[in-house]
Each structure stands twice: as structure tokens, then as C-alpha cells.
Amino acid sequence: MNFPKDEPAVCRRPLAEKPKTDDTPPKQAAPPAAGEVQSGKTVLLNWCIMLVGFCAIALGAYWLLG
């Protein structure tokens, strides 16, 4: 409800309309080229993550079948 003493809104736009943002994608580091070797720490970390994920899936299946 508008009252006569209310000041008009400065900017009105529909809720669905959003202000424009920068559409350029962020710069990403180039993936290693074919033939390049990752460092040992990176490989070890990847294996640890895979093993933890596999164990989580196995424990979940054991619990569901259990």
C-alpha cells in the first residue's frame, strides 16, 4: 500500500532480472601436456582420495546389506 507521503523508489526492476555481470570465463591453468609426469605427491594424493572413496562405498554397501 502506498501512502501519499512516500517517496518513489529510485530503481525498480523485476525480481527475475539481475544486473549484468562479466561473462568472460576465468583463466585456468593449462592441463599437463601428453607425456608430462605429475609429481609424486600429486599421484599419492590422488590414490589416497580414490582409496578413501572406495572404502566409503564399500562400507555403505556393507551397511545397507548388513
Side-chain angles (χ1 to χ4, degrees), residues 3-43:
F3 294 104
K5 296 180 182 178
D6 285 347
E7 295 181 13
V10 175
C11 175
R12 291 184 182 258
R13 65 174 170 253
L15 294 176
E17 183 181 332
K18 296 181 180 177
K20 292 189 177 188
T21 57
D22 188 16
D23 292 338
T24 56
K27 293 182 181 178
Q28 296 177 351
E36 287 188 23
V37 179
Q38 292 181 341
S39 69
K41 289 181 181 179
T42 304
V43 173

Side-chain angles (χ1 to χ4, degrees), residues 25-58:
K27 293 182 181 178
Q28 296 177 351
E36 287 188 23
V37 179
Q38 292 181 341
S39 69
K41 289 181 181 179
T42 304
V43 173
L44 181 63
L45 178 64
N46 287 339
W47 275 98
C48 289
I49 291 171
M50 286 191 301
L51 286 174
V52 167
F54 178 75
C55 289
I57 292 170

